[in-house]
Amino acid sequence: MVAELDKYIVGQQEAKRSVAVALRNRWRSRRLDADMREDIIPKNILMIGSTGVGKTEIARRLARLVRAPFLKVEATKFTEVGYVGRDVESIVRDLVETSVRMVRGEKLDEVREKAAENAEERLIDVFVPAPKKSSNPLGKLFGSEEEEPQENPEPPKYQAGREWVRKRLHAGELEDEIVEIEIEESARPVAGMFAGSSLEGMSDNLQSMIGSLVPKRRRKRKVTVAQARKIFAAEEADKLVDMDVVSEEAVHAAEYSGIVFLDEIDKVAVSSGHTAGADISREGVQRDILPIVEGSTVVTKYGPVKTDHVLFIAAGAFHIAKPSDLIPELQGRFPIRVELKSLVKEDFERILTEPKDALIKQYSALLAAEGVALTFRHDAVARLAELAETVNEQTEDIGARRLYTLLEKLLEELSFDAPDLADKEVVIDAAYVDRTLADIAVDHDVARFIL
């Protein structure tokens, strides 16, 4: 896990090891007998470090690596019950929604081939429709219509036509043909109805209930065969996926594999010596979050969800407040403390060049779309890293995010002129960096505004 995280995140080995151990312990617990497995709960992690050092990225990449439902929320979104703000139980509802999307995507992948076959049959039906049976409309209305038995049924005359169309479809000869098809469109209630506070759960249930009562409408649409194949494949895949099974598996995945990243936890900590005003509300948020973290059951539209085995990773800069300013009960629920170190020049150099999609690779790829070959020399990378460290020390320490502001300013003119450049090969060296950025970085007042 740490080796995989190293591909995307520079440094912070202690934090990587902590989250890797927490995830590995989950795997270990699943191999124990049922009684002991239920008693072993995940050890939640508190990450302490300034912004831009990789706290969120570590958690997000790890969740993607182990294919676990992952939710990132800011603790500042929530306010104590009775104040305007979101209900903390929405954390669990959102986690389950994420889990449902993930499991449904996996199920759709499993039935993709069968859905493609069914979609092809529907496409052939468009070109060679089956003969319509004459029917008594009153009989169909009252359900008393009976088909007359045929003594010697003849083979359908359109069979040869279907095989001819199938061969042409396989050969790709009909991809650009325009056809008229019927597609389903479900009437959905307006999103966000009753949004806010504890009515959110009622809103979810009401919307799903109304959605199931309102019948699906069909409308005609003219599309190419290639588009029709995609539309039919999506509809057929939906029919093949059992949403009851998806819901059951998604709830289990959220309960035993879910990861919740609680960002900005320090913003709801009550600084010592303050007892009035907004601090009362902030302590209320902590007390509301506490039952979710320590283990409770939340009712969602997919059924009750227990949070006992959800892994919570909290993070904050803790510049003003300290971890000890959190209420004792919440502190006790985050036994693993990890301090992420501020980034220095050597880290910035590695961030610019080493990760899988490093910043310099990204900007080079963007300009390559205009036919511009952008090359960064080593002295330019070193100078950029040095400037990032200097500006972070002199203004606010925003970690690796400082590199975005520096690179945007550095390449602003080049990005603007890229379509009209005569010379499509551009080399960035230390002199180019100094010419563009040094004056801004040296002037503290200007740096505060521009960088």
Side-chain angles (χ1 to χ4, degrees):
M1 290 181 190
V2 172
E4 194 66 24
L5 290 173
D6 284 340
K7 294 179 183 177
Y8 302 96
I9 301 142
V10 168
Q12 313 300 358
Q13 294 305 309
E14 189 181 345
K16 291 175 186 173
R17 285 165 62 93
S18 295
V19 293
V21 168
L23 265 291
R24 188 67 176 179
N25 279 337
R26 261 189 172 179
W27 177 86
R28 289 167 181 152
S29 68
R30 287 176 190 168
R31 275 141 186 81
L32 305 176
D33 59 79
D35 291 339
M36 184 171 282
R37 184 169 62 236
E38 285 300 313
D39 288 338
I40 297 176
I41 58 172
K43 305 302 181 287
N44 299 322
I45 301 166
L46 178 63
M47 291 187 181
I48 304 160
S50 56
T51 184
V53 295
K55 300 188 295 293
T56 309
E57 195 64 14
I58 287 173
R60 183 184 285 121
R61 291 286 179 186
L62 194 73
R64 199 175 299 173
L65 178 63
V66 297
R67 300 180 73 180
F70 176 78
L71 178 71
K72 175 185 181 290
V73 291
E74 281 81 29
T76 49
K77 263 188 191 176
F78 307 102
T79 53
E80 189 178 5
V81 174
Y83 289 77
V84 178
R86 294 199 72 189
D87 176 14
V88 292
E89 289 189 350
S90 64
I91 294 174
V92 183
R93 288 193 287 269
D94 291 345
L95 180 67
V96 176
E97 288 288 352
T98 303
S99 185
V100 167
R101 285 196 298 272
M102 190 182 81
V103 173
R104 183 173 174 272
E106 291 172 358
K107 297 293 183 187
L108 288 174
D109 287 338
E110 291 174 10
V111 299
R112 199 173 299 281
E113 288 184 15
K114 179 64 177 172
E117 291 175 13
N118 294 351
E120 185 177 277
E121 293 300 322
R122 284 180 62 180
L123 261 178
I124 296 171
D125 288 340
V126 172
F127 283 100
V128 189
K132 294 183 179 178
K133 297 177 183 176
S134 58
S135 60
N136 178 5
L138 290 176
K140 185 177 285 187
L141 180 65
F142 294 105
S144 60
E145 183 182 11
E146 292 183 4
E147 292 186 6
E148 294 182 4
Q150 297 179 356
E151 292 182 2
N152 297 315
E154 296 181 4
K157 295 178 181 178
Y158 58 91
Q159 189 64 35
R162 290 179 71 85
E163 292 306 315
W164 180 76
V165 172
R166 193 189 306 276
K167 286 178 183 176
R168 294 192 68 190
L169 281 173
H170 286 175
E173 297 173 12
L174 302 175
E175 293 301 288
D176 297 325
E177 292 279 331
I178 301 294
V179 292
E180 188 175 60
I181 63 171
E182 277 193 346
I183 61 171
E184 291 180 355
E185 57 174 15
S186 55
R188 294 179 180 176
V190 178
M193 190 165 52
F194 302 121
S197 195
S198 57
L199 289 174
E200 286 180 3
M202 190 203 309
S203 165
D204 287 341
N205 294 329
L206 189 60
Q207 287 188 37
S208 59
M209 183 181 70
I210 294 174
S212 61
L213 291 175
V214 176
K216 290 180 178 178
R217 296 186 299 168
R218 302 186 73 85
R219 65 181 176 91
K220 291 188 175 180
R221 183 179 165 193
K222 288 186 177 181
V223 294
T224 63
V225 169
Q227 291 171 320
R229 184 184 281 106
K230 289 180 182 176
I231 293 168
F232 286 157
E235 287 184 3
E236 292 301 316
D238 278 336
K239 291 175 187 174
L240 292 168
V241 171
D242 186 344
M243 282 308 294
D244 290 335
V245 174
V246 168
S247 300
E248 188 179 330
E249 288 187 16
V251 168
H252 185 270
E255 287 182 334
Y256 290 94
S257 302
I259 299 173
V260 174
F261 186 81
L262 276 171
D263 205 2
E264 309 289 357
I265 194 73
D266 57 317
K267 303 300 186 293
V268 295
V270 181
S271 303
S272 51
H274 293 271
T275 54
D279 286 335
I280 298 173
S281 177
R282 282 186 288 194
E283 187 170 322
V285 174
Q286 294 182 60
R287 295 198 181 280
D288 284 349
I289 289 175
L290 182 61
I292 305 292
V293 176
E294 67 183 3
S296 61
T297 302
V298 176
V299 178
T300 71
K301 65 181 180 183
Y302 301 103
V305 177
K306 293 171 67 179
T307 65
D308 300 67
H309 294 272
V310 175
L311 175 65
F312 288 87
I313 302 175
F318 289 99
H319 288 316
I320 300 170
K322 301 182 294 296
S324 57
D325 290 330
L326 295 167
I327 60 173
E329 300 91 330
L330 196 59
Q331 288 182 50
R333 291 293 166 181
F334 291 91
I336 302 174
R337 309 284 173 87
V338 183
E339 186 174 356
L340 285 84
K341 299 173 179 63
S342 293
L343 302 173
V344 293
K345 182 190 170 194
E346 290 73 21
D347 296 322
F348 289 127
E349 284 188 40
R350 293 178 60 198
I351 290 168
L352 284 168
T353 55
E354 283 186 19
K356 193 172 181 181
D357 295 314
L359 285 178
I360 285 179
K361 296 175 188 173
Q362 292 177 24
Y363 281 96
S364 299
L366 286 172
L367 287 169
E370 298 273 10
V372 177
L374 185 64
T375 306
F376 276 83
R377 287 192 179 158
H378 180 71
D379 60 343
V381 174
R383 185 69 179 124
L384 274 170
E386 189 180 331
L387 286 173
E389 184 181 41
T390 304
V391 177
N392 273 349
E393 286 174 355
Q394 293 173 351
T395 57
E396 291 293 327
D397 185 0
I398 60 170
R401 294 191 178 96
R402 184 71 67 191
L403 293 172
Y404 283 105
T405 58
L406 286 169
L407 278 167
E408 283 293 332
K409 194 67 186 170
L410 177 71
L411 301 175
E412 183 180 31
E413 187 177 342
L414 179 60
S415 297
F416 186 81
D417 296 334
D420 307 315
L421 280 178
D423 183 6
K424 293 291 187 178
E425 291 188 8
V426 180
V427 177
I428 306 290
D429 55 13
Y432 187 101
V433 175
D434 284 334
R435 190 166 61 250
T436 314
L437 296 176
D439 292 342
I440 300 170
V442 169
D443 190 329
H444 296 184
D445 293 330
V446 176
R448 286 179 189 278
F449 286 98
I450 296 179
L451 301 177

